Amino acid sequence: MMKTKPLFIVLSAPSGCGKSTLIDMLLQEYSDIVYSISCTTRAPRGEEEDGLDYHFLSKERFEELLKEDAFIEYAKVHDNYYGTLKGPISEVLAEGNSMILDIDVQGAAKVRSYVRSLPNNDPMKLGYVDIFINPPSLEELRARLIGRGTDSMATIEKRMNNAEGEMARAGEYMFQVTNDELYVAYKRLCDLIDALSGRM
């Protein structure tokens, strides 16, 4: 197999756009793409496992890491911290593998400004790519969210408002992929990754 350039892939999308499904498909196909696991101080929910879904940390530990400047980005949401550690990304890229980060628009903006501040020869900067996944339309997104049957109408309306705000910022991303047909969108994503990593 030819040597490919390790990428640091940042992926954002409004809720219900199929981003998790697309990421799962990528991880199954590309053995050299590693999923970035975020840290949080909230308690695990349901079947969530430490080190698989999140790194579950105490508030004290998270704040220690903040003091050490260990995060590429972090946010406080409803009294809980969420953040992405720099260390694992650097390690994965140093091994010649790519890292994929699933993050919202605000988090992506923080990552983008952090990466911009790095020296030009930093692997994170060299391999950086951010991609926004669009729904075919807001109507289609609403239909998908209703179709999932997991959220109340109030929650769906809130997600729709968020989606509009997020889609308004899609232009901040290097690339946009519209998920109208899952396999077509997946093929577009693969083509992008192949071209950027030099697999073509």
Side-chain angles (χ1 to χ4, degrees):
M1 176 153 167
M2 53 189 275
K3 193 81 185 94
T4 57
K5 173 174 144 185
L7 299 177
F8 175 29
I9 307 160
V10 171
L11 213 57
S12 306
S15 181
C17 279
K19 177 181 53 167
S20 303
T21 307
L22 288 166
I23 289 175
D24 287 343
M25 290 163 76
L26 284 174
L27 294 172
Q28 279 170 12
E29 184 159 339
Y30 292 87
S31 57
D32 60 341
I33 294 182
V34 179
Y35 183 71
S36 169
I37 299 167
S38 302
C39 298
T40 183
T41 56
R42 74 161 171 79
R45 292 180 193 145
E47 303 282 300
E48 287 180 338
E49 286 180 50
D50 183 47
L52 193 62
D53 299 286
Y54 280 99
H55 296 297
F56 293 101
L57 305 177
S58 67
K59 197 169 172 194
E60 294 71 29
R61 179 66 189 128
F62 199 103
E63 286 173 347
E64 274 171 27
L65 288 165
L66 276 181
K67 287 196 189 93
E68 293 165 18
D69 195 26
F71 292 100
I72 186 170
E73 64 77 37
Y74 77 94
K76 199 170 188 183
V77 187
H78 312 304
D79 292 336
N80 285 308
Y81 286 113
Y82 292 82
T84 308
L85 289 168
K86 297 173 190 172
I89 302 170
S90 299
E91 284 164 26
V92 164
L93 297 178
E95 287 161 3
N97 292 319
S98 293
M99 181 70 116
I100 194 163
L101 178 57
D102 169 359
I103 197 165
D104 66 8
V105 171
Q106 284 89 343
K110 289 180 186 173
V111 172
R112 201 176 292 122
S113 68
Y114 171 78
V115 169
R116 280 194 188 126
S117 73
L118 295 170
N120 288 336
N121 62 348
D122 188 289
M124 245 187 252
K125 192 168 193 171
L126 291 171
Y128 183 78
V129 55
D130 50 24
I131 306 166
F132 189 87
I133 309 289
N134 277 301
S137 67
L138 283 166
E139 293 70 43
E140 174 65 25
L141 182 61
R142 178 178 269 114
R144 283 184 195 177
L145 289 171
I146 293 169
R148 289 206 295 203
T150 51
D151 297 319
S152 67
M153 279 318 288
T155 302
I156 287 171
E157 285 314 314
K158 195 172 152 204
R159 287 183 192 268
M160 289 304 299
N161 286 334
N162 287 346
E164 279 189 64
E166 287 169 332
M167 287 163 70
R169 296 183 65 178
E172 296 172 19
Y173 290 73
M174 294 157 88
F175 300 98
Q176 295 183 44
V177 170
T178 299
N179 186 7
D180 35 16
E181 284 288 329
L182 182 64
Y183 286 96
V184 178
Y186 178 64
K187 173 85 170 65
R188 286 181 198 139
L189 257 186
C190 292
D191 288 348
L192 251 180
I193 290 168
D194 291 347
L196 293 164
S197 63
R199 273 174 227 265
M200 303 303 261

